[in-house]
Each structure stands twice: as C-alpha cells, then as structure tokens.
Amino acid sequence: MNILIVSHQFYPLNSPRAFRWKLIYDDLKNKGHTVKIITGTFQEKSNDDIFFIGNQKSKTFINNVRTRSNQVDSNKMFINFIYLILKKVYRLFYKTFAWPDYSMFWLYSVWKNRKHIDYQYDVIISVSLPFSSHLAAYILNKKNQKKWIMDIGDPFTLKENAYENNKYLYKYLNFYIEKKFYNIAQQIIFTHKESSDSHINYFKINKEKIYIGSPISTFNDELFEASKSYNYNTLPIKLGYFGVLTKGVRSPENTLKFFKNSDFEFNWYTNPDSKLMVNQNKINLDNHKFFDMVSRDEALDKMTSSLHCLLSIGNLNPGQLPSKIIEYISTGKPVIHFAEIDDDPVIQISKQFNNLIIVNTDSNLPELKDKLNEIFLNIDTFNKETFIKNYSAEAITNNLDIL
C-alpha cells in the first residue's frame, strides 16, 4: 500500500504529535507499506521518504526572536527589548489575522508546490495539530480523490481556550471547513472517547467513520529496569514535570495549592512562559527547581534515573488529553495526575495501570503518600502487556483503514 502522510509537525521536532507519527511511520514501513511524508519540520538528515516544505531561514529568525526576548542580559537590555517588541508584534499578528493557525505560510507553500508533489498514493493521512495539515491534505487530494484519514489531536473549532485563530473573525469559517472535511474523510481518529463524542454531536459525524486511537509511546525494558533500581527510600520525594503549561487549558494553580504544605521537591522541565505561570503562585522556591526543556531521550533518562515520580496536570476540558501521560506511564514510575475536572479522560486510563494515581482538590496528601509508598514497594508489577497492546504504534496501524 502506498501511503502519504501530511503532518506539519514531524520528527525530529520535540512534540507529542511528531513522535506519535514517527512511531506509526516506522511501524507502517516495517509492515511493508511504502510511506512518504510531507512536513513543515526541517530534516537535518536526508531521507527520500520525507519531503520538507517551508522556509528554514524564516523559522530560524522566529526562533531567535523567541529565545532573545526571554534572555536577561544587563549588557544587551536595549537589543533584548527590541526582540521582546518583535515577539509581541508577531503574536498579535497571528492571534488577530492568522488562519487557520500559526502555520498558514506553510500551508501556502504546500499550495504553491502542489504540482511538484507527484507521489502516487492509495491513502492520504493528515495529522493535527496544527489544523493546516488537514487543509494541505485536502489541497493535495482534491485531484486524486484517494481515501483520506484524519488524525485529530487537539480540537479546532471546539477548542475552549487558547484558540488556534481569532474566533470572532473566523468562527463560521472554522465550522464550515471542519464539517466539510469530516464529511469527505473516510476515517477520523480521535485520541479519546470524550473528544470523539463532542465532535460527533457538534458536527453530526457518521459514527462508522470514527476510531479511537489513543496516545502512544514505546515500552523500553532498559528504562523500566532503571525505574525498578531507583532508590525510593531517599528524601525528599522528587517529583518531575515535563512539558508546557497553557493558560486556560493546563494551569498549575490548583495543583500547587494541593501540594502547598508538602515536602516534595518539584523539578520543572519547561519553557519560560510556563515557569512564569508557576512562579505567579505562592510557592516555596526552595522546593521548586526549574530546567530548560530537554529532548525526549534525555527526558526519559531523567524520569527513570533521577526522580521518584512524575507529575501530570489535567486539562480544563475533556476534549483534550495530555499525551505526555502515556509516556510517563511507560516508564513504570509512579505517576501523579491532578484532575481539574470530573470527566478528565485520564481517569479511565488509570483503571488499566496501578502506577497511575489520580488526585484532585478533594484528595489529601497523607493518602497520596501511602499510595506512592505502595507503588514504590511494587514497582516491578507494571503491566507491560496491557501497555503494548493498547498504547503502541501497532495498536494504531492495526486499525487504520488502509486496505
């Protein structure tokens, strides 16, 4: 089978969607399929299967603006101030005018190069976020009219906060395009039932098109051995958070209130904006350490060899599932998930794994510590078979409508 995957985000970009589809790509190749990728992620190594579309120079400039605007250097205050102004202008422009999202210029590049993309494919798969990937697939498939599979990460029209574009300007356009694509596509993948249900009800999607394809990761025996050999008797208990926080979507306020009187040591591997969100709360800075974000491999090494347990913060709406939770679980380490809402989709996942603890505002620290100690004592009982069966790339590829 000849398969074309359209995904603005792809490996080596350090993002859950990029890693998800790198695993799926590898598994499809191992099963004998011919797979090609169109992406907006620059490829440092040449790969005949991957076609990069975009302007690397402009991306480098934007990344430099972001980095310089966050630097504190008394000798370059004026230059850093200019970069800060540029970043704010950039954000204002995109928040006001960008459609369908921040990757609109990449979408234009795909449209401009569409006649040069001559891959012969039987199935086209588009991956969001960003939603632009679906528009790119629609443009490429308009002439060929091949089978189309959509993989939906976060909501687009139904996103409740941190909108992808100006909802006041583009509300009806968002709805029209998204509904049109769901009508055209042959299969639509959602990461969890709550997201699927809300989209089915709002867009009147044919339920026969729907497949629940959970977030995925890999199970690594060496990392699991590192988790098992960690000295859990040491104090203080070191808790690690890896990823970003987003105002209105994933906020740390209630989590920090819950742990306010604890003696846990928090290790935050996050970006400057997220660090600011944490520091806006009344916290004991002696108990909080901040680090730059690290690559996935380095993160997994730190998770298993340097920390007692891992922290997950739930989203404020059931339509979004923190994909990092699956990677956390795969280590076998105790995972503490703070649920902000009663219908948090992670609660269902916790029924499958004994190393995942759900807490909320009604929980108490002594009970949490008792549960942690129980997992510490039984760290080697992680259900590897259940994880591989439900949360591996093969779990997805076995259910793709590609025949």
Side-chain angles (χ1 to χ4, degrees):
M1 186 69 67
N2 296 321
I3 301 170
L4 176 60
I5 298 173
V6 182
S7 180
H8 178 266
Q9 299 182 5
F10 196 70
Y11 185 85
L13 185 69
N14 190 15
S15 84
R17 305 307 292 179
F19 180 66
R20 171 185 176 89
W21 277 92
K22 174 61 166 64
L23 291 179
I24 294 173
Y25 161 78
D26 289 339
D27 195 61
L28 288 170
K29 294 280 289 185
N30 290 336
K31 290 180 174 178
H33 299 288
T34 300
V35 187
K36 301 292 184 180
I37 310 284
I38 292 177
T39 183
T41 301
F42 180 72
Q43 301 296 299
E44 297 174 356
K45 297 181 180 179
S46 177
N47 186 331
D48 292 338
D49 288 344
I50 303 176
F51 182 26
F52 165 71
I53 295 179
N55 189 327
Q56 182 60 20
K57 290 183 179 179
S58 64
K59 288 188 176 184
T60 301
F61 172 74
I62 291 170
N63 288 335
N64 286 339
V65 169
R66 288 171 175 166
T67 301
R68 291 294 296 272
S69 67
N70 290 318
Q71 290 178 346
V72 178
D73 188 338
S74 58
N75 296 321
K76 299 179 180 179
M77 290 296 290
F78 179 74
I79 295 176
N80 291 343
F81 177 73
I82 296 298
Y83 277 106
L84 179 62
I85 295 299
L86 286 174
K87 184 173 80 168
K88 289 185 178 297
V89 170
Y90 169 81
R91 285 183 172 180
L92 178 63
F93 171 79
Y94 271 88
K95 285 184 177 181
T96 306
F97 300 110
W99 191 87
D101 45 49
Y102 69 87
S103 58
M104 64 177 184
F105 291 119
W106 173 76
L107 179 61
Y108 172 72
S109 297
V110 173
W111 177 83
K112 189 171 65 173
N113 288 278
R114 67 193 185 283
K115 293 182 180 179
H116 304 294
I117 302 171
D118 57 354
Y119 295 147
Q120 300 300 311
Y121 59 87
D122 304 299
V123 179
I124 187 168
I125 303 174
S126 55
V127 181
S128 62
L129 49 84
F131 192 82
S132 289
S133 297
H134 300 308
L135 272 161
Y138 173 75
I139 291 169
L140 298 174
N141 199 42
K142 193 171 184 179
K143 179 181 178 180
N144 297 326
Q145 295 293 301
K146 298 294 185 178
K147 183 179 289 186
W148 183 12
I149 299 174
M150 297 174 68
D151 182 44
I152 309 299
D154 287 347
F156 181 59
T157 302
L158 295 183
K159 203 166 188 180
E160 297 181 8
N161 289 287
Y163 306 106
E164 297 301 318
N165 54 45
N166 187 335
K167 68 170 184 174
Y168 301 105
L169 190 61
Y170 299 123
K171 178 181 178 180
Y172 295 105
L173 179 60
N174 292 344
F175 173 80
Y176 171 78
I177 291 294
E178 191 166 4
K179 183 175 177 61
K180 177 180 180 177
F181 288 178
Y182 291 150
N183 288 335
I184 297 172
Q186 280 72 40
Q187 186 179 40
I188 307 164
I189 306 172
F190 292 97
T191 56
H192 57 292
K193 187 177 183 298
E194 290 82 357
S195 179
S196 170
D197 288 347
S198 63
H199 282 79
I200 289 172
N201 293 334
Y202 192 77
F203 294 101
K204 309 303 179 188
I205 304 172
N206 182 348
K207 292 182 180 180
E208 294 182 358
K209 294 184 176 185
I210 303 299
Y211 164 60
I212 304 300
S214 300
I216 60 174
S217 187
T218 55
F219 181 85
N220 186 301
D221 287 298
E222 290 184 7
L223 290 174
F224 185 43
E225 287 301 319
S227 291
K228 291 195 293 184
S229 62
Y230 184 83
N231 185 0
Y232 293 97
N233 294 319
T234 58
L235 293 174
I237 294 176
K238 296 181 179 181
L239 193 60
Y241 180 88
F242 296 78
V244 298
L245 301 165
T246 306
K247 188 176 182 179
V249 177
R250 187 183 306 119
S251 301
E253 286 85 358
N254 289 330
T255 303
L256 292 171
K257 286 179 183 177
F258 176 78
F259 286 101
K260 183 177 180 180
N261 297 318
S262 76
D263 53 0
F264 286 47
E265 177 188 289
F266 287 78
N267 294 263
W268 301 90
Y269 292 85
T270 189
N271 63 8
D273 289 341
S274 299
K275 178 181 177 180
L276 181 62
M277 288 178 66
V278 173
N279 282 325
Q280 286 173 341
N281 296 270
K282 294 180 179 180
I283 59 174
N284 181 352
L285 291 176
D286 292 336
N287 293 342
H288 293 263
K289 297 181 178 180
F290 294 92
F291 307 90
D292 291 335
M293 295 186 70
V294 295
S295 69
R296 177 180 179 272
D297 289 342
E298 187 176 353
L300 287 169
D301 178 65
K302 291 182 181 298
M303 289 178 196
T304 54
S305 63
S306 304
L307 301 164
H308 290 73
C309 48
L310 307 171
L311 173 65
S312 170
I313 299 176
N315 292 326
L316 295 170
N317 67 82
Q320 293 177 266
L321 173 66
S323 52
K324 180 66 71 175
I325 192 72
I326 299 302
E327 196 154 78
Y328 280 178
I329 293 170
S330 73
T331 65
K333 285 272 180 175
V335 180
I336 302 170
H337 177 79
F338 188 90
E340 294 277 4
I341 53 178
D342 293 337
D343 51 353
D344 187 320
V346 176
I347 295 173
Q348 292 299 317
I349 298 175
S350 70
K351 297 175 182 178
Q352 297 176 292
F353 299 100
N354 59 8
N355 65 322
L356 176 56
I357 303 172
I358 304 294
V359 296
N360 55 37
T361 53
D362 295 325
S363 304
N364 65 73
L365 281 171
E367 286 185 6
L368 171 60
K369 288 188 173 182
D370 288 342
K371 291 179 180 178
L372 280 176
N373 287 327
E374 183 179 348
I375 297 175
F376 292 158
L377 293 172
N378 299 280
I379 198 71
D380 59 344
T381 62
F382 177 75
N383 195 331
K384 170 183 174 181
E385 290 72 23
T386 296
F387 183 87
I388 294 173
K389 179 182 177 181
N390 296 290
Y391 299 100
S392 66
E394 190 173 15
I396 300 291
T397 59
N398 285 344
N399 290 281
L400 288 178
D401 186 12
I402 57 177
L403 298 179

